[in-house]
Amino acid sequence: MKIFKLSAITSLFNAGFYLATSLIVLYFSDIGMPEFLIGLAMTLARLSYGLASMFSGAMADRVGRYYPMLIGFILGALSMLFLSLFRSQYLAITMVILVWVAYSIYSPAALALVSEVSRGTATSYGWYYFFLTAGQIVGQALSGNIIKLGGYGAAFVSGGALSLISAALTWLWFRDEEAKVSVNLLEDLRKGVNILFRNRYLSYLAVALSLHGIGFTMSFTFIPLVARLDQGMSEPQIGFALSLWSFGNLIATVPLGRVTDRIGGREMLIYHLAASSAVWWIYPFLKDEMLIYALMLIQGFVGAMDLPARRLLLVGISEREVATAIGSLDSITFILSSLGNLMAGLTWYMGHWAPFVIGCLINTLGLLILLKMGKSEAAYSS
């Protein structure tokens, strides 16, 4: 029962998060930010997520799951609500950074809680991501229409309200999960860094997924701008396209989680990286609306291969410090992959196709590392 309560809470927050951030690139553009500054803003947001994850994962192992979840949801709500009040470029960037930090604070704790209230299999993570993605679909599908009806402020306020509901439900359902609170940020940072260095397999995995993350962020950053400038799509159409991506992820996550339990996390990640390069390469050259929708749906299937597979690997690597392992891997991959946002802004002027194609090439390097790691090394590290 707790897994469904947890999934409902995080699904609501995810709906609010994507209501506020799905089309944030268009909002930045509309308040006068050049593409380079947009790329820099998204770099700072992902970098902040990565740095905060290093602390939050270890904190969740030390103080319990309740407080990080509650703090993350409250911070997310306040940041989204304040975002609705500002038109200043730099204040808007600051609030978006805080929204991402809020996500990084709650996420490792919630993921660790999944392993505690279930069997910790890829299938259980698949169900969790099923509900998480359902919230994402709602947020993305509604974002364009809410912006069209009430402006960006309406989307930000709606997102903040959903985050507040998540905080209230966390207090109602999970306050018995609280532990004795003691704040030791340096110790949390030391634990997060240490687990990366002492586990060779986790280190290789971090490098491979960081390269994958750079490729992804290079490709993903300007999807809304390419859709508006080159493909002639409106905000509701862009929101619908992104929701199709999430819908494909939704319907494929649980079945692919079961496949991952059978074939292994490393093998599924190999398929994921290979398919990702193909999809990203194609996108900027499409002009037909229906083909764009179809590709977004396929990208959802491809994306569903990722997170249950990497979470399954992490549970095997460190069962006693699973939140620390999750936080550390998320931290290093987000810190390094944040470079992709900046690189997207720099390469945008080479042609709107350039961030996508270069991102594919970088992603392929991550695929080669995964292939080189081999099954025997995975077994050794587990």
Side-chain angles (χ1 to χ4, degrees):
M1 186 63 179
K2 278 192 172 183
I3 185 66
F4 293 107
K5 289 181 177 180
L6 175 63
S7 298
I9 288 171
T10 55
S11 180
L12 281 172
F13 178 80
N14 227 31
F17 179 84
Y18 282 97
L19 262 176
T21 63
S22 288
L23 302 181
I24 197 68
V25 169
L26 299 184
Y27 174 69
F28 284 158
S29 180
D30 288 349
I31 62 175
M33 290 173 60
E35 284 74 15
F36 171 75
L37 186 55
I38 293 173
L40 179 61
M42 299 311 297
T43 294
L44 292 174
R46 293 182 68 88
L47 182 63
S48 299
Y49 179 103
L51 291 172
S53 293
M54 187 69 76
F55 295 102
S56 62
M59 180 177 67
D61 278 331
R62 182 165 49 79
V63 307
R65 317 312 187 196
Y66 168 71
Y67 283 111
M69 290 171 60
L70 188 66
I71 291 169
F73 295 146
I74 292 174
L75 177 61
L78 294 176
S79 302
M80 293 179 210
L81 293 172
F82 279 119
L83 183 59
S84 68
L85 303 176
F86 300 131
R87 293 286 293 182
S88 163
Q89 294 180 2
Y90 297 105
L91 287 176
I93 291 172
T94 301
M95 291 302 107
V96 170
I97 288 172
L98 289 177
V99 171
W100 277 80
V101 168
Y103 204 113
S104 74
I105 291 173
Y106 102 82
S107 185
L111 287 165
L113 196 55
V114 172
S115 69
E116 293 170 3
V117 300
S118 66
R119 292 178 297 169
T121 62
T123 301
S124 62
Y125 280 109
W127 278 112
Y128 173 78
Y129 282 114
F130 176 89
F131 289 103
L132 199 67
T133 305
Q136 181 175 337
I137 291 172
V138 172
Q140 290 172 326
L142 293 179
S143 60
N145 290 297
I146 289 177
I147 289 168
K148 187 175 182 180
L149 292 173
Y152 288 99
F156 300 149
V157 170
S158 299
L162 289 174
S163 188
L164 280 177
I165 294 172
S166 294
L169 291 176
T170 300
W171 176 82
L172 183 65
W173 288 339
F174 288 99
R175 64 181 182 272
D176 59 332
E177 300 288 334
E178 63 183 274
K180 183 179 179 181
V181 178
S182 60
V183 178
N184 192 338
L185 294 180
L186 290 178
E187 175 63 17
D188 289 344
L189 178 61
R190 186 197 65 78
K191 288 177 64 178
V193 172
N194 186 52
I195 197 172
L196 281 174
F197 280 99
R198 75 170 185 256
N199 190 293
R200 185 176 62 183
Y201 185 65
L202 184 59
S203 299
Y204 287 147
L205 185 64
V207 173
L209 293 179
S210 294
L211 290 169
H212 170 61
I214 291 172
F216 172 77
T217 52
M218 285 195 72
S219 303
F220 182 77
T221 300
F222 290 126
I223 282 178
L225 273 182
V226 168
R228 183 160 73 176
L229 298 177
D230 300 334
Q231 296 166 338
M233 300 176 74
S234 65
E235 282 82 358
Q237 288 173 316
I238 298 169
F240 178 68
L242 292 174
S243 71
L244 282 177
W245 181 333
S246 299
F247 180 72
N249 196 293
L250 177 76
I251 61 178
T253 293
V254 173
L256 287 174
R258 290 172 177 163
V259 174
T260 302
D261 282 329
R262 290 199 298 269
I263 69 173
R266 170 187 166 272
E267 287 70 22
M268 184 58 79
L269 284 176
I270 288 172
Y271 298 143
H272 168 65
L273 266 66
S276 294
S277 284
V279 173
W280 300 345
W281 190 291
I282 293 170
Y283 173 75
F285 302 105
L286 293 180
K287 302 298 181 184
D288 182 80
E289 182 180 344
M290 298 310 297
L291 288 178
I292 293 168
Y293 290 154
L295 188 70
M296 290 293 103
L297 190 63
I298 292 170
Q299 174 58 53
F301 297 152
V302 173
M305 300 175 181
D306 184 3
L307 290 178
R310 70 170 76 186
R311 299 315 181 202
L312 179 65
L313 285 173
L314 291 178
V315 171
I317 287 171
S318 183
E319 293 182 358
R320 289 180 299 177
E321 297 177 297
V322 62
T324 302
I326 290 170
S328 298
L329 184 66
D330 284 352
S331 178
I332 192 66
T333 55
F334 264 80
I335 288 172
L336 294 178
S337 67
S338 65
L339 295 173
N341 300 111
L342 184 60
M343 292 168 67
L346 291 171
T347 57
W348 174 260
Y349 303 101
M350 296 170 57
H352 296 177
W353 54 268
F356 298 86
V357 172
I358 296 172
C360 292
L361 298 176
I362 294 173
N363 178 65
T364 302
L365 296 177
L367 174 61
L368 294 176
I369 292 175
L370 277 180
L371 289 169
K372 185 176 176 59
M373 284 163 59
K375 289 184 178 180
S376 59
E377 190 166 2
Y380 167 79
S381 297
S382 298

